Amino acid sequence: MSVTVRLLAPDDEAAWLPLWQAYLNFYRAVLSGETTRNTWQSIMRSAEIKGFGAFDADNRLVGFAHIVIHPNTWNTGKCCYLEDLFVSAGCRRQGAARSLIEAVYRFAEAEGLNRVYWVTDKNNLAAQSLYNQMARQTDMVQYRKDFP
């Protein structure tokens, strides 16, 4: 599948929303409408949060990647957390996810960011087969405490 990847634009919201919901469903996550609206607004307006869309030959949104740019203590520059990556079920294993990651890499390099990193569910083996080709897996284990 040939896709074009670009930053998401305000007109993409209607196409993004069902993909976002499918992504949340994939991870069995439930977010409020307020959080979803805030996420979209942050993608559109924040200097630290960006969204990339993968569009097929008919200009349909088939996947997205959201990144968070932030400072870190291990380098003098900022780094890039690839927080969300999703491709619609019918378009998987056709290169869209790879194209999204490559676009994030190009963006990060052009912006002078010092690294791109992400996490995935330990059982998401299909995604890991791609990730193992595109990045180095670390030995880090994530711990987290959520607050309401």
Side-chain angles (χ1 to χ4, degrees):
M1 164 186 279
S2 175
V3 296
T4 301
V5 177
R6 63 166 171 77
L7 287 171
L8 292 170
D11 290 346
D12 298 322
E13 183 178 11
W16 171 86
L17 192 55
L19 285 180
W20 174 248
Q21 191 56 58
Y23 174 68
L24 296 177
N25 292 344
F26 180 83
Y27 281 109
R28 296 181 186 94
V30 177
L31 298 179
S32 69
E34 177 185 7
T35 299
T36 292
R37 283 187 298 280
N38 184 70
T39 297
W40 180 256
Q41 290 305 314
S42 295
I43 291 167
M44 291 297 103
R45 297 185 177 142
S46 172
E48 293 83 26
I49 299 176
K50 304 288 181 195
F52 295 84
F55 296 84
D56 69 9
D58 294 322
N59 203 34
R60 289 181 299 220
L61 183 64
V62 298
F64 62 77
H66 303 150
I67 63 171
V68 178
I69 301 163
H70 64 89
N72 64 95
T73 60
W74 288 45
N75 196 291
T76 58
K78 293 182 178 182
C79 61
C80 177
Y81 176 50
L82 198 169
E83 187 164 24
D84 307 308
L85 177 65
F86 184 75
V87 174
S88 62
C91 299
R92 293 188 186 141
R93 296 188 175 268
Q94 298 179 49
R98 177 182 296 275
S99 294
L100 284 161
I101 293 170
E102 289 171 344
V104 169
Y105 284 172
R106 285 190 302 274
F107 175 86
E109 189 170 25
E111 294 293 314
L113 306 178
N114 62 62
R115 72 173 169 264
V116 173
Y117 70 101
W118 63 93
V119 297
T120 193
D121 187 277
K122 66 181 179 181
N123 297 314
N124 194 350
L125 301 178
Q128 289 176 46
S129 68
L130 171 64
Y131 301 162
N132 288 332
Q133 297 170 36
M134 302 201 67
R136 173 182 57 86
Q137 183 179 8
T138 70
D139 293 329
M140 298 305 210
V141 176
Q142 182 187 50
Y143 291 87
R144 178 166 107 180
K145 174 144 177 76
D146 293 328
F147 298 97

